[in-house]
Short mmCIF file of all heavy atoms in Angstrom, two decimals:
data_model
loop_
_atom_site.label_atom_id
_atom_site.label_comp_id
_atom_site.label_asym_id
_atom_site.label_seq_id
_atom_site.Cartn_x
_atom_site.Cartn_y
_atom_site.Cartn_z
N LEU Q 282 -33.14 2.99 36.13
CA LEU Q 282 -34.31 3.91 35.84
C LEU Q 282 -34.55 4.21 34.41
O LEU Q 282 -35.52 4.69 34.04
CB LEU Q 282 -34.02 5.31 36.55
CG LEU Q 282 -33.90 5.18 38.06
CD1 LEU Q 282 -33.44 6.56 38.57
CD2 LEU Q 282 -35.18 4.76 38.82
N LYS Q 283 -33.61 3.64 33.59
CA LYS Q 283 -33.69 3.85 32.10
C LYS Q 283 -33.96 5.26 31.77
O LYS Q 283 -34.71 5.70 30.90
CB LYS Q 283 -34.90 2.96 31.60
CG LYS Q 283 -34.83 1.49 31.83
CD LYS Q 283 -36.01 0.74 31.23
CE LYS Q 283 -35.79 -0.76 31.19
NZ LYS Q 283 -35.61 -1.34 32.49
N ARG Q 284 -33.15 6.20 32.40
CA ARG Q 284 -33.22 7.61 32.08
C ARG Q 284 -31.94 8.26 32.55
O ARG Q 284 -31.20 7.66 33.24
CB ARG Q 284 -34.40 8.27 32.71
CG ARG Q 284 -34.35 8.34 34.25
CD ARG Q 284 -35.73 8.61 34.83
NE ARG Q 284 -36.25 9.88 34.66
CZ ARG Q 284 -37.25 10.45 35.22
NH1 ARG Q 284 -37.92 9.62 35.94
NH2 ARG Q 284 -37.68 11.59 34.89
N PRO Q 285 -31.65 9.36 32.02
CA PRO Q 285 -30.27 10.09 32.39
C PRO Q 285 -30.31 10.46 33.83
O PRO Q 285 -31.26 11.05 34.36
CB PRO Q 285 -30.30 11.34 31.51
CG PRO Q 285 -31.32 11.15 30.52
CD PRO Q 285 -32.34 10.26 31.03
N VAL Q 286 -29.19 10.17 34.51
CA VAL Q 286 -29.02 10.53 35.81
C VAL Q 286 -27.69 11.38 35.98
O VAL Q 286 -26.70 11.03 35.47
CB VAL Q 286 -28.80 9.19 36.76
CG1 VAL Q 286 -28.45 9.68 38.17
CG2 VAL Q 286 -30.13 8.44 36.77
N LYS Q 287 -27.87 12.49 36.65
CA LYS Q 287 -26.67 13.44 36.79
C LYS Q 287 -26.25 13.45 38.19
O LYS Q 287 -27.10 13.56 39.11
CB LYS Q 287 -27.03 14.82 36.30
CG LYS Q 287 -25.78 15.87 36.37
CD LYS Q 287 -26.16 17.23 36.07
CE LYS Q 287 -26.36 17.47 34.64
NZ LYS Q 287 -26.47 18.98 34.38
N PHE Q 288 -24.92 13.38 38.45
CA PHE Q 288 -24.34 13.50 39.77
C PHE Q 288 -23.28 14.62 39.74
O PHE Q 288 -22.41 14.48 38.89
CB PHE Q 288 -23.74 12.18 40.21
CG PHE Q 288 -22.82 12.43 41.45
CD1 PHE Q 288 -23.37 12.92 42.66
CD2 PHE Q 288 -21.54 12.12 41.42
CE1 PHE Q 288 -22.53 13.14 43.76
CE2 PHE Q 288 -20.66 12.38 42.46
CZ PHE Q 288 -21.24 12.78 43.74
N VAL Q 289 -23.44 15.52 40.57
CA VAL Q 289 -22.45 16.63 40.81
C VAL Q 289 -21.91 16.47 42.21
O VAL Q 289 -22.70 16.57 43.15
CB VAL Q 289 -23.03 18.03 40.53
CG1 VAL Q 289 -21.95 19.06 40.86
CG2 VAL Q 289 -23.61 18.14 39.18
N ALA Q 290 -20.58 16.28 42.35
CA ALA Q 290 -20.07 16.22 43.73
C ALA Q 290 -19.87 17.76 44.15
O ALA Q 290 -19.02 18.38 43.72
CB ALA Q 290 -18.71 15.60 43.71
N ASP Q 291 -20.87 18.20 44.95
CA ASP Q 291 -20.67 19.67 45.30
C ASP Q 291 -19.41 19.87 46.21
O ASP Q 291 -18.84 18.86 46.58
CB ASP Q 291 -22.03 20.19 45.94
CG ASP Q 291 -22.24 19.62 47.30
OD1 ASP Q 291 -21.42 19.33 48.08
OD2 ASP Q 291 -23.47 19.49 47.56
N ARG Q 292 -19.13 21.13 46.46
CA ARG Q 292 -17.82 21.31 47.02
C ARG Q 292 -17.69 20.73 48.41
O ARG Q 292 -16.59 20.20 48.72
CB ARG Q 292 -17.63 22.88 47.15
CG ARG Q 292 -16.26 23.27 47.68
CD ARG Q 292 -15.21 22.71 46.86
NE ARG Q 292 -15.22 23.03 45.44
CZ ARG Q 292 -14.46 22.57 44.48
NH1 ARG Q 292 -13.63 21.60 44.69
NH2 ARG Q 292 -14.56 22.95 43.19
N LEU Q 293 -18.66 20.75 49.22
CA LEU Q 293 -18.58 20.20 50.52
C LEU Q 293 -18.33 18.61 50.44
O LEU Q 293 -17.56 18.06 51.15
CB LEU Q 293 -19.81 20.45 51.46
CG LEU Q 293 -20.02 21.87 51.88
CD1 LEU Q 293 -21.08 21.89 52.95
CD2 LEU Q 293 -18.75 22.53 52.34
N GLU Q 294 -19.12 18.02 49.53
CA GLU Q 294 -18.90 16.61 49.28
C GLU Q 294 -17.55 16.28 48.70
O GLU Q 294 -16.90 15.30 49.03
CB GLU Q 294 -19.80 16.11 48.14
CG GLU Q 294 -21.17 15.95 48.47
CD GLU Q 294 -21.99 15.32 47.21
OE1 GLU Q 294 -22.29 16.22 46.37
OE2 GLU Q 294 -22.37 14.17 47.27
N SER Q 295 -17.00 17.16 47.83
CA SER Q 295 -15.75 16.95 47.21
C SER Q 295 -14.64 16.74 48.33
O SER Q 295 -13.73 15.82 48.13
CB SER Q 295 -15.31 18.07 46.32
OG SER Q 295 -16.19 18.23 45.32
N PHE Q 296 -14.64 17.58 49.35
CA PHE Q 296 -13.61 17.45 50.28
C PHE Q 296 -13.51 16.06 51.03
O PHE Q 296 -12.43 15.67 51.49
CB PHE Q 296 -13.71 18.61 51.32
CG PHE Q 296 -13.18 19.95 50.80
CD1 PHE Q 296 -13.98 21.03 50.58
CD2 PHE Q 296 -11.78 20.05 50.63
CE1 PHE Q 296 -13.49 22.22 50.15
CE2 PHE Q 296 -11.25 21.20 50.21
CZ PHE Q 296 -12.13 22.33 49.86
N VAL Q 297 -14.75 15.45 51.07
CA VAL Q 297 -14.70 14.22 51.79
C VAL Q 297 -14.91 13.02 50.91
O VAL Q 297 -15.15 11.85 51.32
CB VAL Q 297 -15.75 14.16 52.91
CG1 VAL Q 297 -15.52 15.24 54.04
CG2 VAL Q 297 -17.24 14.42 52.40
#
Side-chain angles (χ1 to χ4, degrees):
Chain Q
L282 299 173
K283 300 183 170 59
R284 66 199 292 187
V286 174
K287 183 186 283 191
F288 166 61
V289 175
D291 70 36
R292 186 54 58 191
L293 295 191
E294 282 182 287
S295 295
F296 279 113
V297 295

